[in-house]
Amino acid sequence: MNTSPMIVFDLDDTLFLERDFAISGFRAVAEWLKGRSGTSHFVEQCIDAFDSGHRSLIFDRVLEAQGVTCDDTLINTMVYIYRHHRPRISLAPDAARFLANGGRFAIISDGHAATQALKLESLRIASLFEYIILTDSLGRKFWKPSKRAFQMIQDWSALQPGELTYVADNPTKDFISPRSLGWLTVRVARAERVHRVDPPSPEHEAHAVIPHLDLLHQALELIRASASAPRPH
């Protein structure tokens, strides 16, 4: 059994930009819509809505703004195409550098399992990870902040909690469970990230926050140094 420390990654906005997937999905839906509804500038309007932060019911709002009559069947088909298209995405450059340097890696990622699997396939990185858990495959109730996926990796790895690190982007759900298990946690706050939210409590925040993965090893050294420093009496 390999007892080297392991870094467990989130996927969206951690290893690649979630916005890139969204744009890829908008383009796939636009291609399907061609000749069906008379829409124009569909992709641009979807991107505008996404970037403005209004990310629920994007298709409904864009079609309504264009005067297109839509029903549940049309919207459900568009959502299906969005979730099941083969995305045109790539690793963030810093993520590609970090993974290329090697190490023990795993993934815990929320989101519809089929969609997340297509992202992994497009990124061509699955072989770099010893264990991949798409939480949706366990059941919706086991999406983060559920502890289930973290406990599964901890049990499988036989590592001590302090030898496991979770790297992710969303402080509302990503870090509270691994922290409660004793893992190290690092938040990647990319300039282009989707989730620009504050942690609901100190327990929801990661031990360190970095702008990109080029600083991950340095952050982990600081976390460990801080944990081992003598406390004042």
Side-chain angles (χ1 to χ4, degrees):
M1 172 68 71
N2 189 338
T3 58
S4 300
M6 173 173 282
I7 298 176
V8 184
F9 291 95
D10 181 33
L11 191 55
D12 302 64
D13 269 350
T14 302
L15 295 179
F16 80 99
L17 295 181
E18 185 173 342
R19 184 177 184 273
D20 288 351
F21 172 81
I23 293 172
S24 176
F26 298 151
R27 287 175 175 156
V29 173
E31 185 64 28
W32 178 81
L33 278 174
K34 276 184 179 178
R36 287 178 168 83
S37 61
T39 56
S40 61
H41 305 292
F42 177 82
V43 173
E44 293 84 352
Q45 291 189 23
C46 286
I47 293 172
D48 287 344
F50 186 88
D51 287 343
S52 71
H54 299 101
R55 299 186 180 113
S56 62
L57 304 178
I58 284 180
F59 297 149
D60 305 67
R61 288 200 301 274
V62 170
L63 291 181
E64 181 180 352
Q66 297 201 15
V68 176
T69 301
C70 58
D71 55 25
D72 288 345
T73 300
L74 174 61
I75 296 299
N76 289 340
T77 301
M78 294 168 71
V79 171
Y80 181 89
I81 291 168
Y82 179 89
R83 288 178 176 168
H84 292 82
H85 82 287
R86 190 173 300 277
R88 302 182 71 173
I89 55 177
S90 57
L91 285 174
D94 57 295
R97 287 190 293 271
F98 191 92
L99 295 175
N101 286 329
R104 298 194 68 196
F105 305 131
I107 285 177
I108 294 174
S109 177
D110 283 349
H112 293 273
T115 305
Q116 300 306 96
L118 284 166
K119 292 173 184 176
L120 286 169
E121 185 177 328
S122 293
L123 293 170
R124 299 179 181 179
I125 57 173
S127 63
L128 302 177
F129 297 89
E130 296 182 33
Y131 202 160
I132 295 174
I133 298 179
L134 305 180
T135 57
D136 194 49
S137 65
L138 305 176
R140 181 62 179 82
K141 67 181 180 179
F142 296 117
W143 286 28
K144 296 172 290 186
S146 169
K147 291 182 181 179
R148 172 65 71 88
F150 299 99
Q151 192 66 61
M152 287 172 63
I153 285 186
Q154 185 169 308
D155 293 345
W156 163 82
S157 70
L159 293 172
Q160 294 300 310
E163 297 172 317
L164 291 158
T165 299
Y166 191 52
V167 182
D169 69 293
N170 188 345
T172 63
K173 65 171 184 172
D174 284 337
F175 306 114
I176 189 166
S177 286
R179 282 195 64 156
S180 71
L181 292 171
W183 291 31
L184 308 183
T185 55
V186 178
R187 174 157 68 100
V188 183
R190 297 186 179 281
E192 311 91 335
R193 68 190 183 278
V194 169
H195 300 292
R196 297 176 177 274
V197 292
D198 295 323
S201 72
E203 291 75 23
H204 283 79
E205 182 57 288
H207 293 98
V209 181
I210 56 176
H212 49 72
L213 294 177
D214 291 328
L215 297 177
L216 180 53
H217 282 310
Q218 179 181 339
L220 290 174
E221 289 174 3
L222 291 173
I223 294 169
R224 293 187 176 107
S226 176
S228 62
R231 299 182 180 277
H233 295 289

